Amino acid sequence: MQVKGTLKMISNLIDELPSSERKIAEYILEHPGKVIKFTTAELAEKSNTSAAAVIRLCKSLGIKRFTELKVRLAGDLANKDDSTGYRDISANESLYSIIEKSRTNSIQSINETAELIQEEMVQKAIHVLEKAKNIHLFGIGASHIISLDAQQKFLRIKKNATAFSDLHLVATLIANSSEDDVVFGISYSGETEEVAKVLKLAKEKGAKTISLTKYGGSKVANITDISLHTSFTREAPFRSGATSSRLAQLFMIDVLFLGLSASRYEDTVTYIDRTRESIHTLKKL
């Protein structure tokens, strides 16, 4: 698979970067075709920085070395499309137009998230979830809907999972947690105070922690052992965190669920069959 998504990663992070790394990032965004032919020293010279700053930028992006950065840039350039970005609705817009905008926004959000996935990090999350005795999911507002979806999926394959939005109730669960448990915090912004507090408490109690936030550094992501990300878009008024970003979060939960299912395939098939049979039995009662 051709790796890509680096230009999106850079544009997402550029405002958070130190000045020297930001200068390099700006140069890459303006001249990606040139950068794939550069050495580290050449990029440093062109951006009026240093080779050390180029290496630091790679680390900030979660990329191990400059050669990998160039491979990813080449993937971006080979997969350019005519996307016009996310589109918001306007007053008295036709239903047909609303359907088309919703479709393209949803597809773009999922595509961008797929491009940003760090497979090594996702694999770590799957391993931790597979070994977990209990999985406690926590999110506020729209993120709570994502946690409920994850709970339903995990329960179907015999993984004990909870999903509560009540801060005190979650704190009670975490008080009795151990290193065999996982606390999974979900926050699109990554700045939800309640989620950050829950994850901090979980770490103090020795539980393993996972977060799902928009791409980039954030209060929530910086706390957890494993940080997972969705694409970051500057949401328009009608396309707030409850729409396209919600679909990206659901996509990530699907990736985790299917990855977990594949790692214990035979057991998963058995559990899914049992739950299906149980539901059919209830319908006959």
Side-chain angles (χ1 to χ4, degrees), residues 158-175:
K158 205 177 179 180
K159 295 299 299 182
N160 190 36
T162 67
F164 298 105
S165 58
D166 185 293
L167 186 62
H168 291 181
L169 187 54
V170 172
T172 301
L173 289 170
I174 293 175

Side-chain angles (χ1 to χ4, degrees), residues 31-164:
H31 310 285
K34 293 181 180 180
V35 172
I36 62 175
K37 301 174 184 177
F38 285 169
T39 63
T40 303
E42 287 171 333
L43 177 56
E45 181 182 355
K46 291 292 184 180
S47 58
N48 295 314
T49 57
S50 66
V54 173
I55 301 304
R56 288 198 300 272
L57 174 63
C58 291
K59 290 182 179 179
S60 296
L61 295 171
I63 295 173
K64 294 179 181 178
R65 54 186 68 86
F66 182 55
T67 52
E68 182 183 344
L69 173 64
K70 293 197 292 183
V71 169
R72 287 178 171 270
L73 285 175
D76 279 340
L77 296 175
N79 288 276
K80 274 192 171 182
D81 55 34
D82 296 325
S83 172
T84 55
Y86 292 92
R87 298 180 295 166
D88 201 14
I89 63 171
S90 56
N92 301 315
E93 188 156 352
S94 71
L95 180 57
Y96 174 81
S97 179
I98 289 171
I99 291 170
E100 283 302 298
K101 285 183 178 180
S102 180
R103 179 179 65 85
T104 55
N105 288 345
S106 298
I107 291 171
Q108 185 169 338
S109 180
I110 291 172
N111 283 343
E112 289 177 355
T113 296
E115 291 174 0
L116 293 174
I117 286 177
Q118 295 176 295
E119 291 186 21
E120 182 180 349
M121 193 67 72
V122 174
Q123 195 61 58
K124 285 181 181 179
I126 290 169
H127 178 74
V128 166
L129 292 169
E130 183 179 11
K131 302 297 182 184
K133 182 179 179 182
N134 300 293
I135 303 169
H136 300 307
L137 299 131
F138 183 66
I140 298 293
S143 293
H144 178 56
I145 298 172
I146 311 303
S147 69
L148 289 172
D149 179 77
Q151 180 195 29
Q152 186 267 347
K153 285 181 168 64
F154 293 147
L155 287 175
R156 290 204 69 180
I157 58 174
K158 205 177 179 180
K159 295 299 299 182
N160 190 36
T162 67
F164 298 105

